[in-house]
């Protein structure tokens, strides 16, 4: 099964360091998002532009008032890191310090949409992806959030011809794949409230949030 990276679809997710420090208040809004979808996986990692630089040579610290308060572990296998969530007030007083220059090392947010674990799940569990995608867009856009695109649908990609059935009591719906073996479905506030089961004839390979 493949996964779909939201950050590749919607917004550049790299936070550029100012010198060797990154203001924590730029990162904290994303860390504090309350995700509802069970199909979202958020990964923070070190992004290195020079392949000759190993992850072992990258050091990151949490700094307050120019004093190191914690060292951030960088996974030597893939550069993954875990950052603490802070209050807005705390975030304004902290920075991330990196021992490598901006042109070599950055911090990236990867938001991955996982395929459903089976062929049936509730409408809300599935379409929470739309709400969560918009939360990430808004958080990453910051002050320019009003110009950011808004997600309102999901596009399901299949390995072969397939169907999606929404077992609504009032109005059952069935969708069939297009020529490219995909199905696009808009989020419905009415169905979010009813929360019927969504049944796939086969598990989709990827799910793509759409603007």
């Amino acid at each position: 099964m493949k996964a779909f990276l939201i950050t590749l679809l919607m917004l550049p997710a790299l936070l550029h360091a100012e010198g060797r420090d990154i203001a924590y208040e730029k990162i904290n809004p994303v860390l504090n998002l309350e995700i509802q979808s069970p199909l979202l996986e958020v990964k923070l990692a070190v992004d290195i532009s020079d392949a000759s630089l190993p992850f072992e040579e990258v050091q990151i610290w949490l700094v307050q008032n120019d004093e190191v308060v914690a060292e951030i572990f960088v996974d030597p296998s893939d550069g993954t890191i875990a950052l603490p969530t802070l209050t807005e007030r705390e975030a304004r007083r902290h920075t991330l310090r990196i021992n490598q220059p901006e042109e070599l090392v950055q911090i990236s947010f990867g938001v991955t949409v996982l395929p459903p674990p089976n062929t049936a799940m509730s409408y809300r569990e599935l379409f929470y992806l739309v709400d969560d995608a918009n939360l990430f867009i808004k958080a990453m856009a910051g002050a320019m959030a009003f110009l950011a695109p808004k997600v309102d649908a999901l596009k399901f990609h299949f390995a072969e011809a397939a169907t999606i059935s929404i077992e609504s009591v009032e109005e059952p719906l069935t969708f069939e794949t297009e020529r490219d073996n995909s199905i696009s479905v808009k989020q419905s506030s009415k169905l979010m409230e009813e929360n019927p089961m969504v049944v796939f004839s086969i598990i989709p390979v990827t799910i793509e949030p759409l603007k």
Side-chain angles (χ1 to χ4, degrees):
M1 293 291 178
K2 296 181 180 179
F4 188 85
L5 283 174
I6 292 182
T7 47
L8 297 181
L9 168 70
M10 303 184 300
L11 289 174
L14 295 179
L15 295 167
H16 295 272
E18 298 171 353
R20 291 188 179 181
D21 287 3
I22 298 175
Y24 211 84
E25 61 185 332
K26 293 182 179 180
I27 305 172
N28 204 53
V30 178
L31 299 177
N32 278 290
L33 291 179
E34 295 184 4
I35 299 171
Q36 301 179 87
S37 173
L39 300 181
L40 271 189
E41 182 177 82
V42 181
K43 178 182 176 182
L44 288 84
V46 168
D47 184 58
I48 299 177
S49 58
D50 185 349
S52 66
L53 179 67
F55 290 119
E56 288 87 347
E57 292 187 18
V58 178
Q59 292 180 289
I60 303 176
W61 301 275
L62 183 63
V63 176
Q64 181 180 10
N65 298 325
D66 210 35
E67 293 186 5
V68 173
V69 294
E71 183 170 0
I72 307 299
F73 173 73
V74 179
D75 191 319
S77 63
D78 61 1
T80 301
I81 61 174
L83 298 178
T85 57
L86 304 178
T87 65
E88 287 187 24
R89 184 178 180 182
E90 290 172 334
R92 288 194 294 268
R93 299 200 303 259
H94 289 77
T95 59
L96 275 188
R97 180 162 298 168
I98 304 175
N99 71 329
Q100 300 290 341
E102 176 183 354
E103 59 269 20
L104 288 181
V105 174
Q106 298 167 340
I107 304 297
S108 66
F109 286 94
V111 185
T112 305
V113 180
L114 304 174
N118 49 57
T119 57
M121 65 187 305
S122 74
Y123 189 93
R124 281 184 202 151
E125 283 187 315
L126 186 59
F127 280 87
Y128 275 147
L129 283 171
V130 170
D131 300 331
D132 290 344
N134 285 318
L135 283 177
F136 274 100
I137 291 176
K138 185 176 180 180
M140 291 179 180
M144 302 299 290
F146 67 98
L147 294 176
K150 186 174 181 180
V151 170
D152 65 359
L154 298 177
K155 187 172 185 178
F156 303 87
H157 299 269
F158 297 88
E160 58 188 70
T163 61
I164 299 175
S165 298
I166 301 177
E167 299 180 339
S168 169
V169 174
E170 293 186 13
E171 186 181 357
L173 300 169
T174 299
F175 302 87
E176 297 182 355
T177 46
E178 303 290 338
R179 291 184 179 181
D180 62 353
N181 289 334
S182 72
I183 299 174
S184 298
V185 183
K186 281 197 170 186
Q187 185 194 57
S188 162
S189 57
K190 185 177 180 180
L191 290 174
M192 286 293 284
E193 183 177 351
E194 181 187 343
N195 197 30
M197 292 300 296
V198 179
V199 179
F200 303 98
S201 59
I202 56 174
I203 295 176
V205 177
T206 60
I207 304 175
E208 175 186 354
L210 285 182
K211 296 175 281 186

